[in-house]
Amino acid sequence: MKHKKICAALMAAMIGIGTMAASPASEAASREEIAKISVNKQGTNFKYWNKDAASYKALTGYVKDITDKRSKNFIPVEDRIAVFDVDGTLACETAPFCFDFMMFIHRALDDSNYTASAQDRENAEAVKNAIYNHKMTNDVRRKHCLSNASVFAGMTPAEYADYTKNYFNTPVEGFTNLKVGEIFYLPMVEVVSYLRANDFKIFLVSGAEREYTRILAEVLAVDSDNIIGTDYSYVAENQGDKDGMDYVYKVTDKLVRGDFVSKNINTNKVNLIAREIGKQPILAFGNSSGDYSMFNYTSTNPKYKTKIFALLCDDIEREFGKTSSAEKMKKAADENGWIAVSMKNDFKTIYGDNVARVDQ
């Protein structure tokens, strides 16, 4: 009898262990797990899309068409260029806003190891108020850019990378089990993988700071020189007021962050695509009016069949969507022949089933 009780206890323990192992994790997909998301060339193993969605069918149908050498729409590998906006297209920008903005606010107002100037603190408060009152304007964006340059000025690239990666551990406001470094939309990570499997060259064309975006997107296996964003200058540590044409970089110098250069939205996106890629894209993904210029430039490629995909921020249960903005984007998509992607209906999940929206 005693032997039977011991066996029963062991069996119960093993069942318990098995149940724990089978139960879902309590956190979002880690950066390591995001990096492992892989879709094959045929697109048969998408996991996170509703495969009945018109947007999914439009994407896979387009890729199959232009990669088929027998098709009149075949596009050679060297011209398969896809451009993606980042915030709101590949990653969260609604909790409560783009995270390079939020990292700036943290640096200027909340970092106990740093004291910002009075002007930078004033600008940070203006940016914070605009975000939480939903009144972001280009004037506020300019304040962000100028003071963002100031609060990170003098950092080496390595020091800025370390600061950014440390910030990635910050919990995302308004969600359970989600950190800043994990904010990618899993269905869109699949799209990047699928296009890479079909020999597309992927460029991220973001309104966020270029170096920040490079660090955030390391998990997407997008080459660092294929990332375009808002730019800040670099200068030699001992350069002082001398122009870079006159100053000779010394072996004793360090390269450090300098001033604000340009904000990568609207026509600035087209300008940088033309300068840095040197070819017109055939495929574009975005989510806001700041991407319209990129959409229009892509759609007017004179040589090839193109497709434009516009994400709608229409999910108000799993995300902080905004119905009025989604309706506006849907209207623009319908008028221009772009493919609307409903986050609410077309995505099986956004960040994974273990992440939930809570009241902000």
Side-chain angles (χ1 to χ4, degrees):
M1 180 65 70
K2 184 176 181 181
H3 177 71
K4 289 182 179 180
K5 288 182 178 180
I6 292 172
C7 288
L10 287 171
M11 182 63 72
M14 289 174 68
I15 292 171
I17 292 170
T19 302
M20 290 173 62
S23 64
S26 60
E27 296 183 355
S30 67
R31 287 177 64 80
E32 292 77 13
E33 290 168 330
I34 292 168
K36 292 178 181 177
I37 291 174
S38 178
V39 175
N40 60 37
K41 187 174 184 177
Q42 294 74 31
T44 57
N45 61 333
F46 275 93
K47 291 169 46 180
Y48 302 123
W49 280 78
N50 173 4
K51 293 185 179 180
D52 292 326
S55 59
Y56 172 83
K57 292 178 180 178
L59 173 63
T60 54
Y62 173 77
V63 171
K64 288 175 183 177
D65 184 22
I66 64 96
T67 58
D68 183 352
K69 289 185 178 181
R70 299 166 297 181
S71 170
K72 65 179 182 179
N73 297 315
F74 175 75
I75 299 176
V77 169
E78 61 268 23
D79 291 331
R80 294 179 198 169
I81 295 171
V83 290
F84 287 78
D85 172 58
V86 178
D87 295 301
T89 301
L90 287 174
C92 179
E93 68 170 355
T94 57
F97 202 63
C98 308
F99 285 94
D100 65 327
F101 278 70
M102 302 311 296
M103 189 170 80
F104 156 68
I105 292 171
H106 169 75
R107 175 73 167 172
L109 300 179
D110 303 318
D111 187 342
S112 60
N113 296 314
Y114 176 76
T115 303
S117 70
Q119 183 62 66
D120 290 337
R121 291 186 64 84
E122 181 181 327
N123 284 349
E125 291 288 0
V127 171
K128 185 175 181 179
N129 288 336
I131 288 172
Y132 283 96
N133 290 310
H134 306 287
K135 293 182 178 179
M136 183 58 63
T137 65
N138 278 350
D139 285 341
V140 175
R141 289 186 176 92
R142 290 185 180 94
K143 289 181 178 180
H144 163 251
C145 289
L146 291 171
S147 282
N148 191 60
S150 177
V151 299
F152 292 111
M155 279 191 179
T156 66
E159 288 168 344
Y160 180 78
D162 287 343
Y163 192 94
T164 302
K165 289 176 181 178
N166 185 61
Y167 182 71
F168 285 170
N169 293 317
T170 304
V172 175
E173 184 175 338
F175 287 97
T176 62
N177 305 321
L178 185 65
K179 297 176 182 177
V180 172
E182 303 162 344
I183 57 174
F184 289 100
Y185 302 153
L186 301 185
M188 293 304 296
V189 176
E190 286 190 316
V191 172
V192 172
S193 176
Y194 174 57
L195 294 179
R196 285 175 60 86
N198 281 280
D199 299 317
F200 275 78
K201 195 168 187 179
I202 309 294
F203 289 85
L204 306 189
V205 186
S206 178
E209 202 269 351
R210 187 191 300 250
E211 295 304 323
Y212 172 92
T213 305
R214 279 177 173 164
I215 299 160
L216 178 68
E218 285 175 352
V219 296
L220 298 183
V222 176
D223 294 337
S224 63
D225 54 346
N226 286 11
I227 293 177
I228 299 169
T230 292
D231 277 321
Y232 297 83
S233 68
Y234 282 111
V235 295
E237 186 179 36
N238 299 308
Q239 186 173 331
D241 294 330
K242 285 189 177 181
D243 187 274
M245 290 179 64
D246 302 316
Y247 183 80
V248 177
Y249 189 92
K250 299 176 178 61
V251 294
T252 54
D253 269 322
K254 291 182 181 178
L255 193 68
V256 296
R257 291 172 63 92
D259 297 329
F260 167 60
V261 177
S262 66
K263 179 70 175 176
N264 190 38
I265 58 173
N266 296 321
T267 301
N268 282 350
K269 288 198 172 189
V270 176
N271 173 26
L272 287 176
I273 289 170
R275 285 170 52 198
E276 299 195 21
I277 301 177
K279 289 185 176 182
Q280 213 161 338
I282 61 167
L283 193 55
F285 298 81
N287 76 299
S288 73
S289 59
D291 298 316
Y292 288 0
S293 296
M294 182 172 74
F295 286 175
N296 292 334
Y297 182 59
T298 300
S299 67
T300 56
N301 188 311
K303 294 177 62 178
Y304 302 118
K305 178 182 178 181
T306 63
K307 278 285 187 218
I308 310 298
F309 290 83
L311 267 72
L312 311 182
C313 57
D314 59 356
D315 196 314
I316 58 175
E317 294 184 3
R318 300 176 299 180
E319 242 284 357
F320 289 94
K322 187 176 181 182
T323 302
S324 59
S325 296
E327 290 173 348
K328 183 178 179 181
M329 177 59 83
K330 180 64 165 63
K331 183 174 184 291
D334 291 343
E335 290 174 349
N336 289 280
W338 305 333
I339 306 300
V341 179
S342 169
M343 294 178 67
K344 176 182 178 181
N345 299 318
D346 300 355
F347 290 175
K348 288 183 177 180
T349 187
I350 296 179
Y351 308 106
D353 294 338
N354 298 316
V355 176
R357 173 186 157 163
V358 296
D359 290 337
Q360 272 186 308

